[in-house]
Amino acid sequence: MATPSEESPASWTNLPSWLLTQTANHAHRLVTEGFSAADARGYHYRLLATLAEFGPASQATLGRRSGIHLSDMVATINELAERDQVQRSPDPADRRRNIVSLTTAGKRQLRKLDKRLADAQGELLEPLSPEQRRHLTELLTLLLDHHSGAADSPGEE
């Protein structure tokens, strides 16, 4: 998306929604470029990070935890399995279901992607001080929680 010129009207260029969208576009580009340089995609990172944090799980559970739709989950698992970054094995409790686990190669790839992601965050937030970065993250979390209904979820305060 083109950046507005100096002639663009403040009536929309100063709107938080417009500023968030433009910043999100830059963030997406930086993260995508970083992952691409490591021969990966965002779904790869999300799946590997979910496995690293929660351990082996079924495809359905991984979909819920990672936010990856089940129709995309199979393709993502297939891509990572072809690279030996994840392993599928039959679930002992239900042989019709597979359990996906992280391999040593997957852990190595996740470390690479964590570094790429940290670099992208650093570049995106470069003009901000550490305190401003923390504050921005808090504000964005507050907005996201509000609009995704997390603040209204039972058991949440």
Side-chain angles (χ1 to χ4, degrees):
M1 180 175 274
T3 304
S5 70
E6 292 179 26
E7 308 285 325
S8 297
S11 62
W12 56 271
T13 58
N14 290 328
L15 291 173
S17 57
W18 189 88
L19 295 166
L20 282 167
T21 300
Q22 296 309 302
T23 303
N25 288 338
H26 289 292
H28 185 264
R29 178 185 53 78
L30 291 168
V31 170
T32 299
E33 287 173 359
F35 286 167
S36 180
D39 192 28
R41 303 182 297 120
Y43 279 176
H44 296 168
Y45 177 79
R46 287 164 56 181
L47 183 58
L48 294 172
T50 300
L51 286 168
E53 185 166 337
F54 294 105
S58 69
Q59 291 177 182
T61 299
L62 287 171
R64 286 189 300 275
R65 289 178 177 163
S66 67
I68 300 172
H69 193 274
L70 287 178
S71 63
D72 296 317
M73 179 59 70
V74 173
T76 303
I77 291 171
N78 287 343
E79 291 168 4
L80 295 175
E82 287 172 10
R83 300 171 185 196
D84 296 320
Q85 294 173 3
V86 299
Q87 177 180 344
R88 280 182 279 222
S89 54
D91 182 346
D94 183 351
R95 304 293 261 168
R96 297 169 296 174
R97 179 171 54 189
N98 283 320
I99 297 295
V100 181
S101 56
L102 192 58
T103 65
T104 301
K107 291 174 187 174
R108 274 195 307 272
Q109 178 70 344
L110 180 57
R111 285 192 299 273
K112 287 180 196 172
L113 297 178
D114 279 337
K115 170 77 170 95
R116 299 283 181 170
L117 191 55
D119 291 346
Q121 303 304 302
E123 187 173 343
L124 178 68
L125 302 174
E126 186 176 350
L128 303 180
S129 70
E131 177 61 25
Q132 289 171 319
R133 291 175 187 206
R134 185 192 60 72
H135 190 64
L136 176 63
T137 301
E138 288 174 357
L139 291 172
L140 291 172
T141 300
L142 180 65
L143 284 171
L144 184 59
D145 286 351
H146 172 79
H147 291 289
S148 62
D152 298 327
S153 297
E156 296 284 322
E157 295 191 20

